[in-house]
């Protein structure tokens, strides 16, 4: 399976001689995979001399082409005679030689985009980029990479696809130019649609503090396999990392902060690295990453280092400048024993996740330094030179931000992440330590089960026209699943105001108002983290073929445990309404009858700064003063009467304690019966409250969309024969889900419902989307046909 940044626990069906289903050696939790990731010939030690076999007489009939582990004929790829080849560049590709503002000359990387015109005639100044935190090392370019002039240039190499999924772009359409068919192992798993060219991909990667290079500078090799490399000469990797080589040497303290070296070609690449840089380990400057693959691949190097320096482990904690070496599943198409989803999960967990956290930390420090120095300014006037400008009067513009793809109209004001950082700055981000497969806020907070979270825009600056722009090289940001263009939310939770941030590897929280103590426990209860989600995904996938295809694309979709009073009144307001309107009504209700918590800085689309006040949800006591006319004045309309009547009935039955008592009920139907006694609460609203706040996991809120799912996937008669959603049909639809998914059918139903939302379509496999559209077209055609028959029948009767 696949998560924004991790698998969902699907086992792989292995191919190749002697293969079998087995737990992955990379994932200690046993998430699918196979025993090894290296090339088919990786068992041979790197650089080992091979005895030349005597020439054999020509066979009478041609032999079949030998096939690699990936199933492709080895002869189908370009091959090269044994000869000396060189890697790209005299130093790695990093922002100092890739960014367009870095100018031209011998120091510029050969694959960088064209330099900015204003800086092409002068010596480049130091571009304002982040310190290099992660150095990614391949072994040596393949034949196709050399022929195309691109690092990781083979069309089936996973490197740029994984980078794109993590950073917000797409390498290519992932379609074979020969057959016109999608690459089956890639196409259905890619997250983004915006395809950009190779130079822009390189810029997007390096502008976030990543650098890319090869272990081997030159060598002799026949073909492209790492195991066939002989007579290799390594690149001066240590010299560069220590600021003694290339452009980085001009200001090593500012430009370099390498915290990790990532070996991109698995254990085969690791053997080359150890062979040429074992002294670096023995000097105590390198340490193996803690994951299983890195520990195995680098065990010999670490053992030699310990023998050379017995106090190595004891001194490790106090040594500055320590670099972690991480060995990851190979991205080559020959490394076929890990699926693309497994490779992506490993890379996001060990490379892009921590790397992007380092990048965000740098962004925060830059913003803080500007604020302390008084350098933060409003939007630049058109034609004004940039801070590090070229003096030409025509400063370079950053790429404009792509429009937000949201299922509903966004608010007129925006909340910026940088502005939130000024609220309670002493409260740090707290790691909830929850795996991406267990929780993704982007799939949980955006699907209509709650209305109290506001999307936070990522760090931005205005370009010279006053338009919003991203960091150079960003092709348009989006969340891990393309739902919104942000991965942070802020909102009131009880008497606290909390920020929630989704990262590639976990979920973070920060308290903006209220006590910090206890927030982790409160969020654990709110997200119901005591319920493991991965086993449920696996169980549901075995019960439903369509869900099995959807689950890897929308991981971490949980059911919330909301405050039942808030949930009850929220869903009363939701009847015959859309999400923006519901959110607006509830915000008015909070402002009028709730308690003030904190003011959040905002900015309009026109660049005008302001504040937004956040309030707690009203208690029954505070609502007691509200009359029907008062609530109508807030825009609640006919719902005002429902709120007044429900408030009075609930107060008479024991208030919040009555609702909390329903959590222990064992019969979801009995809970529905109790809730429908309140004014304005029908079956669907009752089941929403039961599922989203009362732990009634078998409750199935049924609307026309859920009815369509049941008709398409389980029983056509629930739509074909039913003229309306009668109580009998409502119960029948719910039973279809309960019979299939058991006691937590409500969770599975919500996952299937989320997959139907337009904002989640980009993350689904194309064949699933096609089936949905095809079914919808058939239903619409049937309705048109039925309408025409009725019209014809009426015309006949009138005649």
């Amino acid at each position: 399976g696949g998560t924004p940044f991790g698998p969902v626990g699907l086992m792989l069906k292995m191919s190749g001689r002697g293969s079998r289903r087995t737990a992955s050696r990379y994932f200690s939790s046993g998430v699918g995979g196979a025993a090894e990731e290296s090339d088919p010939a990786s068992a041979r030690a790197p650089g080992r001399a091979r005895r030349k076999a005597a020439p054999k007489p020509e066979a009478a009939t041609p032999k079949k082409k030998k096939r690699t582990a990936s199933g492709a004929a080895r002869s189908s790829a370009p091959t090269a005679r044994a000869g000396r080849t060189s890697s790209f560049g005299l130093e790695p590709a990093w922002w100092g030689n890739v960014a367009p503002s870095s100018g031209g000359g011998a120091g510029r990387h050969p694959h960088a985009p064209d330099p900015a015109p204003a800086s092409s005639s002068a010596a480049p100044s130091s571009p304002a980029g982040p310190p290099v935190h992660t150095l990614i090392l391949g072994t040596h370019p393949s034949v196709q990479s050399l022929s195309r002039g691109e690092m990781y240039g083979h069309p089936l190499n996973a490197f740029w696809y994984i980078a794109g999924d993590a950073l917000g772009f797409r390498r290519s359409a992932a379609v074979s130019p020969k057959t016109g068919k999608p690459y089956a192992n890639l196409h259905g798993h890619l997250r983004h649609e915006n395809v950009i060219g190779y130079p822009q991909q390189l810029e997007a990667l390096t502008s976030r503090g990543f650098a890319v290079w090869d272990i081997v500078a030159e060598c002799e090799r026949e073909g492209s396999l790492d195991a066939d490399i002989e007579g290799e000469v390594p690149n001066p990797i240590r010299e560069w990392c220590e600021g003694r080589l290339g452009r980085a040497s001009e200001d090593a303290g500012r430009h370099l902060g390498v915290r990790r070296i990532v070996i991109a070609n698995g254990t085969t690449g690791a053997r080359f690295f150890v062979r040429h840089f074992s002294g670096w380990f023995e000097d105590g400057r390198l340490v193996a990453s803690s994951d299983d693959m890195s520990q195995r691949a680098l065990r010999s190097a670490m053992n030699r280092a310990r023998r050379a320096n017995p106090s190595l482990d004891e001194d490790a904690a106090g040594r500055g400048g320590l670099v972690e070496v991480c060995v990851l599943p190979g991205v080559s198409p020959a490394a076929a024993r890990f699926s693309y989803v497994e490779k992506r999960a490993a890379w996001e967990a060990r490379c892009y996740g921590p790397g992007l956290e380092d990048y965000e930390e740098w962004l925060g420090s830059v913003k803080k330094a500007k604020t302390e120095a008084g350098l933060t300014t409003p939007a630049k006037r058109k034609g004004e030179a940039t801070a590090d400008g070229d003096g030409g009067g025509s400063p370079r513009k950053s790429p404009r931000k792509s429009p937000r793809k949201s299922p509903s109209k966004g608010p007129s004001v925006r909340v910026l992440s940088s502005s939130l950082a000024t609220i309670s700055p002493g409260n740090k981000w707290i790691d909830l330590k929850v795996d991406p497969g267990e929780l993704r806020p982007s799939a949980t907070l955006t699907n209509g089960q709650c209305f109290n979270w506001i999307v936070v825009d990522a760090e931005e600056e205005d370009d010279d026209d006053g338009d919003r722009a991203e960091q150079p090289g960003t092709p348009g940001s989006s969340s891990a699943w393309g739902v919104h263009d942000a991965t942070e939310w802020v909102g009131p939770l009880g008497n606290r105001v909390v920020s929630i941030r989704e990262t590639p590897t976990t979920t973070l929280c920060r308290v903006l108002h209220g006590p910090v103590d206890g927030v982790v426990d409160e969020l654990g209860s709110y997200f119901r983290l005591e319920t493991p989600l991965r086993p449920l995904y696996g169980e549901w996938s075995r019960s439903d073929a369509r869900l099995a295809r959807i689950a890897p694309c929308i991981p971490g979709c949980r059911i919330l445990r909301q405050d039942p009073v808030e949930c009850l009144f929220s869903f009363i307001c939701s009847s015959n309404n859309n999400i923006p309107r519901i959110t607006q009504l509830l915000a008015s209700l909070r402002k009028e009858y709730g308690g003030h918590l904190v003011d959040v800085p905002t900015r309009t689309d026109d660049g005008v700064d302001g504040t937004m006040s956040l309030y707690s949800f009203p208690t029954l006591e505070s609502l007691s003063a509200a009359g029907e006319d008062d609530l109508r004045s807030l825009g609640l309309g006919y719902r005002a009467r429902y709120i007044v009547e429900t408030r009075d009935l609930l107060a008479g039955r024991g208030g919040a304690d009555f609702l909390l008592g329903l959590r222990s009920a064992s019969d979801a139907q009995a809970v529905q019966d109790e809730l429908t006694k309140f004014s304005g609460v029908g079956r669907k609203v009752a089941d929403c409250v039961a599922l989203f706040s009362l732990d009634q996991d078998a409750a199935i809120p049924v609307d026309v969309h859920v009815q369509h799912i049941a008709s398409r996937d389980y029983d056509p008669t629930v739509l074909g024969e039913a003229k309306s959603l009668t109580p009998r049909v409502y119960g029948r639809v719910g039973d279809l889900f309960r019979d299939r998914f058991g006691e937590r059918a409500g969770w599975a139903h919500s996952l299937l419902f989320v997959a139907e939302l337009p904002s989640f379509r980009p993350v689904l496999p194309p064949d699933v989307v096609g089936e949905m559209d095809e079914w919808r077209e058939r239903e619409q055609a049937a309705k048109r046909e039925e309408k025409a028959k009725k019209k014809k029948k009426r015309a006949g009767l009138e005649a």
Side-chain angles (χ1 to χ4, degrees), residues 2 119 123 186 248 323 345 348 454-455 486 545 591 605 613 624 627 637 644 696 701:
S119 61
L186 293 172
V323 179
E348 288 180 329
I454 303 167
V455 174
K591 181 178 180 180
D605 291 334
S613 297
S624 62
V644 169
Q696 297 300 315

Side-chain angles (χ1 to χ4, degrees), residues 34-307:
E36 187 57 67
E37 86 302 337
S38 56
D39 293 341
S42 63
R44 186 166 56 232
R48 179 181 296 177
R50 293 170 294 160
R51 183 167 49 189
K52 294 184 178 180
K56 296 182 179 179
E58 187 173 350
T61 57
K63 293 184 178 180
K64 292 183 180 179
K65 297 175 181 178
K66 185 175 181 180
R67 301 184 71 83
T68 66
S70 61
R74 183 175 294 186
S75 60
S76 64
T79 59
R81 295 179 180 178
R84 202 142 190 94
T85 57
S86 300
S87 63
F88 304 114
L90 301 177
E91 63 175 337
W94 64 296
W95 62 262
N97 58 25
V98 169
S101 60
S102 60
R108 186 163 174 78
H109 197 274
H111 297 172
D114 293 335
S119 61
S120 60
S121 59
S125 60
S126 297
V132 176
H133 48 69
T134 304
L135 175 61
I136 302 172
L137 294 176
T139 307
H140 191 72
S142 68
V143 173
Q144 282 215 17
S145 294
L146 292 169
S147 64
R148 293 165 66 104
E150 298 178 359
M151 288 182 281
Y152 305 98
H154 193 289
L156 286 175
N157 191 293
F159 179 82
W160 291 113
Y161 292 110
I162 293 173
D165 278 353
L167 303 179
F169 63 83
R170 185 164 176 156
R171 175 189 180 182
S172 72
V175 173
S176 170
K178 294 183 179 179
T179 65
K181 297 181 179 179
Y183 295 133
N185 61 325
L186 293 172
H187 196 279
H189 302 295
L190 303 180
R191 295 171 179 158
H192 306 286
E193 298 295 331
N194 50 319
V195 177
I196 60 176
Y198 170 72
Q200 288 69 43
Q201 295 168 24
L202 191 63
E203 185 182 0
L205 180 68
T206 57
S207 67
R208 291 172 170 85
F210 296 90
V212 193
W213 211 4
D214 294 303
I215 299 171
V216 175
E218 58 178 87
C219 65
E220 293 181 3
R221 180 176 61 182
E222 180 178 353
S224 296
L225 295 179
D226 291 350
D228 293 336
I229 291 176
E230 296 179 346
E232 73 274 6
V233 175
N235 272 310
I237 297 169
R238 182 171 186 176
E239 289 83 349
W240 189 84
C241 288
E242 294 177 350
R244 296 184 278 123
L245 178 72
R247 289 193 178 194
S249 63
E250 300 169 5
D251 189 354
R254 176 186 176 191
H255 293 170
L256 293 179
V258 178
R259 299 182 178 183
R260 68 194 59 82
I261 292 174
V262 174
I263 307 299
N265 282 349
T267 54
T268 306
R271 285 197 289 268
F272 278 98
F273 186 80
V274 169
R275 179 176 184 178
H276 294 285
F277 298 100
S278 60
W280 204 354
F281 285 95
E282 293 172 8
D283 290 345
R285 312 314 301 174
L286 297 183
V287 62
S289 178
S290 60
D291 63 276
D292 291 342
M293 180 178 287
S294 301
Q295 288 290 316
R296 289 197 319 272
L298 303 174
R299 182 179 294 119
S300 62
M302 292 302 297
N303 286 341
R304 287 196 298 269
R306 293 186 185 99
R307 287 194 295 269

Side-chain angles (χ1 to χ4, degrees), residues 443 447-449 533 536-537 540-541 543-544 546-547 550 554 557-560 571 683-692 696-710 712-714 725 730 732-757 772:
N447 56 28
Q449 61 175 316
L533 190 57
L536 293 177
Y537 268 52
W540 301 334
S541 296
S543 302
D544 186 287
R546 184 183 297 275
L547 189 146
I550 291 171
I554 311 178
C557 181
R558 305 189 70 87
I559 295 298
L560 299 173
F571 277 94
R683 291 181 301 274
K684 179 191 171 185
V685 168
D687 283 339
C688 285
V689 176
L691 180 62
F692 303 144
Q696 297 300 315
D697 296 335
I700 308 292
V702 179
D703 60 8
V704 66
H705 303 290
V706 176
Q707 187 183 11
H708 286 175
I709 295 172
R712 181 192 64 207
D713 296 347
Y714 308 136
L725 197 56
Y730 188 100
R732 187 175 167 194
V733 170
D735 287 339
L736 287 171
F737 288 91
R738 282 184 282 267
D739 292 343
R740 183 174 293 264
F741 298 112
E743 61 181 7
R744 287 199 170 88
W747 292 55
H749 136 278
S750 293
L751 176 59
L752 292 168
F753 175 83
V754 167
E756 300 289 321
L757 298 177
M772 292 177 175

Side-chain angles (χ1 to χ4, degrees), residues 7-11 22-24 27-33 342 534:
V8 197
L10 297 180
M11 295 297 291
T22 181
S24 165
F27 299 100
S28 57
S29 59
V31 174
E342 280 198 306
R534 286 182 182 272

